[in-house]
Amino acid sequence: MVYVMKESTAEYYLRRRVTLSEFLEITENTETQYELIDGEIYFMASPCHAHQVAIREIFGQFYNFFKGKACSPIMGLFDVRLKNNSPNFEDDPNIVQPDILVICDSENIDGKGKYHGVPTLVVEVLSPRTRGKYMIKKLSLYANSGVQEYWIIDIDHGYAIVYSLTDGDVLRVQQYAFSECIPSWSFKGLNVETDLLIRSNKV
């Protein structure tokens, strides 16, 4: 069974679990953004101004750090079809749109510009409606898919949580206040200044 979740109203519509082909048919001719996680369709609500400013500030620092390097940051909206540990990839589809991702396997971008791989680092910015999905559902998904590092940015409460992931589990976790610098465990020398995030919420 599947829940089609509208994050703007928190309503749930009970339906059967959808396949990858059904999801692609649903989303093919619409501008509405959806994610598919473990066969469940999630409606992507429009982000607020502070959410977008936070993404811009973090991505700007990522862009400067990765310039000229083999890995590259990408800012959503960008479909990511995650590879996972399922024995039958087609039966366990997951298509997500992270706020920011860093990919080091650009060979997994197909001829249509679609990415079928595993980002090394993923950043998601919380909103009150997405808190449960990002902190539980997506944490589990990213860990099981082989993502090495997952950042959750909480702009309402002024902190970030950084997870180091391995073999489907959390290896370590650290919380940083927006007055601190956020270091990456996967990319030595990548440190995000959070004072910009504090100011962004006042713009």
Side-chain angles (χ1 to χ4, degrees):
M1 306 297 286
V2 61
Y3 294 100
V4 177
M5 185 175 95
K6 283 200 172 185
E7 295 173 352
S8 57
T9 60
E11 294 182 36
Y12 292 81
Y13 299 88
L14 186 62
R15 297 185 182 178
R16 64 181 177 82
R17 182 183 175 91
V18 302
T19 64
L20 176 61
S21 59
E22 288 172 327
F23 175 77
L24 294 177
E25 183 178 355
I26 291 169
T27 59
E28 182 178 11
N29 297 312
T30 178
E31 294 184 359
T32 304
Q33 302 297 320
Y34 298 95
E35 291 184 311
L36 179 65
I37 303 176
D38 297 331
E40 300 180 5
I41 299 177
Y42 290 81
F43 171 76
M44 302 288 287
S46 297
C48 67
H49 175 263
H51 179 280
Q52 293 301 89
V53 171
I55 293 172
R56 181 194 69 197
E57 297 293 351
I58 296 171
F59 181 80
Q61 295 183 60
F62 274 33
Y63 177 82
N64 290 331
F65 176 82
F66 286 104
K67 191 180 300 183
K69 294 182 173 65
C71 300
S72 60
I74 298 175
M75 184 167 55
L77 300 165
F78 181 71
D79 281 348
V80 175
R81 184 180 173 196
L82 285 171
K83 294 186 177 180
N84 50 50
N85 296 325
S86 171
N88 190 336
F89 186 31
E90 294 297 329
D91 289 343
D92 188 20
N94 292 282
I95 298 178
V96 293
Q97 295 183 347
D99 290 320
I100 301 172
L101 61 150
V102 178
I103 65 172
C104 301
D105 56 346
S106 58
E107 68 275 8
N108 287 322
I109 299 176
D110 65 21
K112 296 181 179 179
K114 302 293 185 180
Y115 178 57
H116 304 249
V118 180
T120 302
L121 189 156
V122 171
V123 179
E124 300 276 17
V125 178
L126 291 181
S127 71
R129 297 183 298 271
T130 61
R131 180 174 297 275
K133 183 175 73 169
Y134 288 166
M135 300 192 74
I136 300 173
K137 194 80 172 178
K138 280 195 167 182
L139 174 59
S140 175
L141 172 64
Y142 291 146
N144 288 327
S145 298
V147 173
Q148 294 181 21
E149 191 168 336
Y150 178 35
W151 294 19
I152 294 178
I153 309 298
D154 191 327
I155 54 177
D156 289 330
H157 298 93
Y159 66 83
I161 304 175
V162 177
Y163 296 91
S164 176
L165 309 174
T166 183
D167 298 327
D169 203 356
V170 176
L171 179 64
R172 53 181 172 173
V173 59
Q174 182 69 48
Q175 181 170 313
Y176 299 92
F178 276 4
S179 58
E180 301 176 288
C181 191
I182 306 174
S184 169
W185 287 320
S186 300
F187 299 102
K188 185 177 180 180
L190 174 59
N191 298 281
V192 170
E193 297 179 10
T194 59
D195 57 334
L196 298 173
L197 303 182
I198 297 173
R199 293 200 298 268
S200 72
N201 286 334
K202 299 177 181 179
V203 174

